[in-house]
Amino acid sequence: MNLKIQIISFLFSFLYGVFFSFLFNLHYQFLFYRNKIIQVIITLLFLLDMALLYFLVLQMINNGIVHVYFYFLLFLGFYTTFSFFKKFRKK
């Protein structure tokens, strides 16, 4: 993998972490839904969709090559913006 593709993959992983943090905070209201079965199904579908979307775009960028530091940047993007997007939570 050349340097240009790695930098694009780094940026994508970080920005996807920011995107995931935003959507997770919007999804937060469903964590307290009364019906536990619907709560589990919605959360499972949300996490499955987020994971599949990440790997689909990564497949288009660098043919699906996944390194540990891509996950690190994904989590870094998530945790750096998590407290900022906490404002969008509805309980």
Side-chain angles (χ1 to χ4, degrees):
M1 183 175 0
N2 63 17
L3 185 61
K4 181 180 176 184
I5 293 175
Q6 278 190 337
I7 291 173
I8 292 171
S9 298
F10 284 160
L11 281 172
F12 168 71
S13 292
F14 182 79
L15 292 175
Y16 194 80
V18 172
F19 174 70
F20 183 65
S21 175
F22 174 72
L23 288 181
F24 181 79
N25 282 305
L26 286 179
H27 172 72
Y28 188 75
Q29 64 185 342
F30 293 112
L31 292 177
F32 299 102
Y33 199 74
R34 291 184 183 160
N35 191 346
K36 294 291 182 184
I37 295 172
I38 293 176
Q39 176 185 4
V40 169
I41 290 172
I42 288 174
T43 302
L44 183 66
L45 287 175
F46 172 72
L47 293 175
L48 185 65
D49 286 344
M50 290 291 101
L52 289 175
L53 183 63
Y54 178 73
F55 288 117
L56 179 69
V57 176
L58 208 59
Q59 175 74 25
M60 292 188 303
I61 292 174
N62 66 3
N63 296 324
I65 300 171
V66 180
H67 294 283
V68 174
Y69 43 84
F70 292 160
Y71 290 128
F72 175 71
L73 284 168
L74 179 80
F75 291 126
L76 184 68
F78 181 85
Y79 285 114
T80 55
T81 58
F82 185 76
S83 61
F84 175 73
F85 289 128
K86 219 180 214 186
K87 302 171 193 171
F88 297 110
R89 286 186 179 182
K90 294 179 184 177
K91 193 171 180 186

